């Protein structure tokens, strides 16, 4: 099963980065391959919120939509996405945000996925891998645009399995 994981220090607070990732309606503006996103429902869940959303990803002539359940857990500084329906056999990703001072944090992003169809895996697998490697960069660039760029040094590490 393809997996991707990255951890990096960014020059924005954990609260800012959580809010940016939780603002899923904006994903079509900057997330690689995201053509559209529609929120189906929202409901409170303790101190957090559960969002059900449908995202359409597109690359050249291929378009696929899938539905996910997103747990926005602000107190834990975590966003957990669980797959409901679409072209995957399995899809899970987790975001975590650890404060590293007043104006910086460590952002963790992990993703595991498997397509239902071998044909789709062959067609989209490499494209998805490249896009997922760009996710952290896309969110960090978006944060710089939304919140302004800070002078705090940035460090990061990536691992793919």
């Amino acid at each position: 099963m393809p997996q991707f994981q990255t951890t990096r220090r960014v020059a924005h607070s954990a609260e800012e980065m959580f809010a940016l990732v939780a603002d899923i309606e904006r994903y079509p503006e900057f997330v690689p391959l995201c053509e559209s996103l529609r929120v189906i429902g929202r409901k409170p869940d303790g101190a957090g919120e559960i969002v059900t959303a449908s995202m359409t990803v597109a690359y050249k002539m291929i378009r696929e939509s899938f539905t996910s359940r997103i747990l926005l857990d602000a107190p834990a500084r975590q966003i957990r996405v669980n797959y409901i329906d679409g072209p995957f056999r399995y899809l899970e990703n987790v975001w975590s945000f650890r404060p590293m001072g007043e104006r910086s944090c460590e952002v963790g992003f992990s993703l595991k996925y498997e397509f239902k169809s071998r044909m789709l895996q062959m067609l989209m697998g490499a494209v998805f891998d490249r896009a997922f490697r760009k996710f952290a960069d896309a969110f960090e660039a978006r944060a710089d645009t939304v919140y302004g760029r800070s002078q705090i040094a940035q460090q990061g590490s990536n691992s793919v399995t």
Side-chain angles (χ1 to χ4, degrees), residues 121-138:
Q121 177 66 39
M122 288 172 32
L123 287 171
M124 292 293 288
V127 173
F128 265 59
D129 284 346
R130 281 193 305 275
F132 292 143
R133 282 179 176 75
K134 295 179 181 181
F135 267 34
D137 292 337

Side-chain angles (χ1 to χ4, degrees), residues 87-159:
F88 297 96
R89 182 180 325 271
Y90 181 84
L91 174 71
E92 176 185 71
N93 77 295
V94 178
W95 290 89
S96 61
F97 311 91
R98 188 167 64 103
M100 303 292 289
E102 187 177 314
R103 292 289 307 151
S104 68
C105 73
E106 184 178 88
V107 177
F109 174 75
S110 67
L111 175 75
K112 297 177 190 174
Y113 71 96
E114 183 177 358
F115 287 100
K116 287 180 186 174
S117 155
R118 283 193 186 272
M119 178 70 83
L120 194 56
Q121 177 66 39
M122 288 172 32
L123 287 171
M124 292 293 288
V127 173
F128 265 59
D129 284 346
R130 281 193 305 275
F132 292 143
R133 282 179 176 75
K134 295 179 181 181
F135 267 34
D137 292 337
F139 279 91
E140 188 171 351
R142 176 72 174 178
D144 289 346
T145 299
V146 171
Y147 302 121
R149 184 132 173 96
S150 175
Q151 298 301 314
I152 296 173
Q154 300 174 23
Q155 304 167 351
S157 67
N158 294 321
S159 66

Side-chain angles (χ1 to χ4, degrees), residues 69-102:
R69 176 184 175 268
I70 304 137
L71 173 60
L72 305 173
D73 189 346
R77 294 186 182 98
Q78 188 178 76
I79 296 173
R80 183 173 294 275
V81 180
N82 292 298
Y83 176 70
I84 296 173
D85 186 46
F88 297 96
R89 182 180 325 271
Y90 181 84
L91 174 71
E92 176 185 71
N93 77 295
V94 178
W95 290 89
S96 61
F97 311 91
R98 188 167 64 103
M100 303 292 289
E102 187 177 314

